[in-house]
Amino acid sequence: MPKAEFTSSVSVRHLPEQSDPKAGLQAFAYTVTIRNTGDITAQLIARHWIITDSSGHTEEVRGLAVVGNQPLLKPGESFEYTSWTRLATPHGTMRGTFFCMTEDAHPFDATVPEFGLTLASALH
């Protein structure tokens, strides 16, 4: 049976121009590369992010598409996008799931492993 699978990698950078340290806000851009590592064409439909700051405050973000796109990816193809978020602490984490659908309408989830939002890691 053909396998439906998307794999993601993420890079993070701090956004000093969007941050306000006096107000306790740090902004981070994250660039996600989604690659179809399965054997069949599939489409990313929606996203679900869990963003946690270092004080334990968690925010969940759900929505259709990523930056207005629902990419249809053939095996081996990839899609990259950049978005951003703000934290009330200098560091935190993000993890997520993309809800995807094969061309023949079989749903599957693609997990985005947890990654750090920290001033130190964003500077590297």
Side-chain angles (χ1 to χ4, degrees):
M1 186 161 147
K3 179 174 72 167
E5 179 182 73
F6 282 3
T7 305
S8 300
S9 60
V10 182
S11 64
V12 176
R13 69 185 167 88
H14 182 240
L15 296 174
E17 66 280 4
Q18 301 294 329
S19 298
D20 186 351
K22 290 180 183 154
L25 291 174
Q26 296 293 337
F28 299 89
Y30 55 93
T31 299
V32 182
T33 303
I34 304 154
R35 179 171 302 282
N36 183 339
T37 50
D39 337 277
I40 53 176
T41 299
Q43 186 169 24
L44 187 154
I45 304 297
R47 71 198 182 284
H48 174 213
W49 289 112
I50 299 170
I51 307 162
T52 306
D53 70 19
S54 59
S55 70
H57 173 75
T58 297
E59 181 182 350
E60 291 196 49
V61 178
R62 294 176 185 268
L64 287 174
V66 289
V67 294
N69 292 282
Q70 292 181 319
L72 180 67
L73 301 175
K74 294 177 182 161
E77 288 185 335
S78 61
F79 177 80
E80 183 177 278
Y81 77 95
T82 300
S83 191
W84 69 289
T85 189
R86 276 195 197 161
L87 294 178
T89 60
H91 54 89
T93 60
M94 251 178 103
R95 61 188 163 90
T97 305
F98 295 126
F99 173 74
C100 307
M101 186 78 67
T102 64
E103 277 191 314
D104 56 356
H106 287 93
F108 67 99
D109 287 335
T111 301
V112 181
E114 185 171 270
F115 57 94
L117 301 169
T118 68
L119 296 182
S121 71
L123 298 175
H124 296 161

